[in-house]
Amino acid sequence: MSRAEQGFTSEDALHRIAEALERLSPPAAPAPDVSAAQAFVWHVSPDHLQPVPQVNRVALDLLVGIGRARDTLLANSLQFAKGLPANNALLWGARGMGKSSLVKAVHARVLELEPDSALKLVEIQREDLPSIARLMGHLRRSSARFILFCDDLSFSHDDQHYKSLKAVLDGGVEGRPDNVVLYATSNRRHLMPRDMIENERSSAISPSEAVEEKVSLSDRFGLWLGFHPCGQDEYLAMIEGYCAAYGLRIAADRLRAEAIEWQATRGSRSGRVAWQFFTDLAGREGVRL
């Protein structure tokens, strides 16, 4: 029986070929609907922006001991929200000193100061960096403005994810969209371990060029904001600020003694340790957070 007798025509064949080609190369996705929330998390497989109804963050005024970084990042974010030029920012330094908290708190403060700016916060996980070009393509078509946030960014010796990030920061033909700025946090200023840098320098034919490709990634951030370990006075000031903000009343000498004992058992002082102590104290005192 011929194909014509089976009901197949040349038009049917062309239609099936067209459908197959569309599956291989689907049309570009429409710009994402970002009206559902102020913050999103980027997911892959399939690509989509998941709305975050309530962001886990603390008030900007509660971040003690990082005044210079706070003021610089807030000013940069306000410029960006107003449609003015702004830099990508790398927040690097000591653990637990409020790097990621600052990014989220600054976003909230900008929305208070510029409610008509339509500034959105989009978080991307380090392991999803190979998809960042696709994400940029989606955001580029939106009328909103986006702070793209990557927390705890760092790379190991055999990690190639940094190439995806470097290409979109300010390289390539398209470059970074005008409505996107990247804020990243890291414990390392150059986003790679120091012993790895020294090892590659010592074993390379041209030591000055051995790590240039990876170190140049941090150079693409216009702002480098350093976070350093806090002293005891700053540590206690953080806790006192939390107590005042949440209305927890406690004798000053008792608060000081318990706070110092807490940090001694942890072997460190930081904003994170201060918050952990305050959480324990609030629970013992019956104060809800």
Side-chain angles (χ1 to χ4, degrees):
M1 183 181 295
S2 66
R3 292 176 60 87
E5 292 173 335
Q6 292 176 350
F8 292 100
T9 66
S10 58
E11 291 184 359
D12 293 330
L14 290 173
H15 182 68
R16 292 188 178 187
I17 292 172
E19 290 179 339
L21 290 174
E22 287 182 358
R23 288 193 295 270
L24 291 173
S25 181
D33 179 11
V34 294
S35 62
Q38 296 174 342
F40 299 83
V41 177
W42 170 250
H43 293 287
V44 298
S45 300
D47 292 353
H48 68 284
L49 288 170
Q50 178 182 334
V52 179
Q54 185 168 352
V55 179
N56 178 28
R57 55 189 166 201
V58 298
L60 189 63
D61 295 337
L62 293 180
L63 299 178
V64 176
I66 55 173
R68 182 176 179 275
R70 177 199 61 209
D71 295 344
T72 301
L73 192 67
L74 178 58
N76 190 69
S77 302
L78 282 170
Q79 289 173 203
F80 177 68
K82 294 175 182 178
L84 299 172
N87 275 305
N88 300 314
L90 175 63
L91 290 71
W92 67 274
R95 293 180 176 87
M97 281 305 296
K99 297 184 293 294
S100 59
S101 296
L102 179 59
V103 173
K104 293 180 285 187
V106 161
H107 174 245
R109 178 60 59 88
V110 171
L111 291 178
E112 294 175 5
L113 298 175
E114 298 289 335
D116 298 328
S117 63
L119 182 64
K120 308 293 181 179
L121 183 67
V122 176
E123 182 174 12
I124 181 172
Q125 304 298 326
R126 194 194 69 84
E127 56 269 22
D128 292 330
L129 284 177
S131 70
I132 193 171
R134 301 199 302 273
L135 172 58
M136 290 289 196
H138 290 301
L139 302 184
R140 189 188 301 272
R141 296 193 296 273
S142 175
S143 60
R145 303 185 71 78
F146 301 92
I147 294 176
L148 185 57
F149 173 45
C150 187
D151 194 20
D152 197 20
L153 183 63
S154 62
F155 302 98
S156 60
H157 178 73
D158 57 350
D159 195 337
Q160 298 298 308
H161 288 0
Y162 75 95
K163 293 185 177 181
S164 301
L165 179 59
K166 188 168 70 172
V168 300
L169 281 175
D170 57 7
V173 175
E174 288 186 307
R176 173 171 58 89
D178 291 337
N179 64 333
V180 178
V181 70
L182 175 65
Y183 291 172
T185 70
S186 177
N187 296 326
R188 305 165 182 158
R189 183 173 61 176
H190 288 302
L191 305 177
M192 55 192 294
R194 182 176 296 274
D195 58 351
M196 173 184 160
I197 295 176
E198 297 303 327
N199 179 65
E200 292 198 7
R201 280 187 177 139
S202 63
S203 60
I205 296 176
S206 179
S208 63
E209 298 178 0
V211 293
E212 182 178 348
E213 184 178 15
K214 288 185 178 178
V215 172
S216 67
L217 175 59
S218 59
D219 290 339
R220 283 167 164 76
F221 292 90
L223 294 179
W224 284 11
L225 304 178
F227 291 70
H228 308 287
C230 65
Q232 183 167 287
D233 290 343
E234 289 177 328
Y235 167 73
L236 294 173
M238 293 173 188
I239 296 172
E240 291 168 358
Y242 294 144
C243 290
Y246 289 94
L248 195 158
R249 300 181 181 276
I250 183 173
D253 55 346
R254 178 193 162 196
L255 179 66
R256 179 183 178 87
E258 292 187 7
I260 292 176
E261 180 183 5
W262 182 276
Q263 65 92 16
T265 62
R266 293 296 303 270
S268 65
R269 286 187 296 262
S270 69
R272 181 178 296 137
V273 172
W275 177 255
Q276 290 168 344
F277 165 73
F278 177 72
T279 300
D280 177 76
L281 178 64
R284 289 187 280 116
E285 296 296 317
V287 174
R288 297 183 180 276
L289 303 182

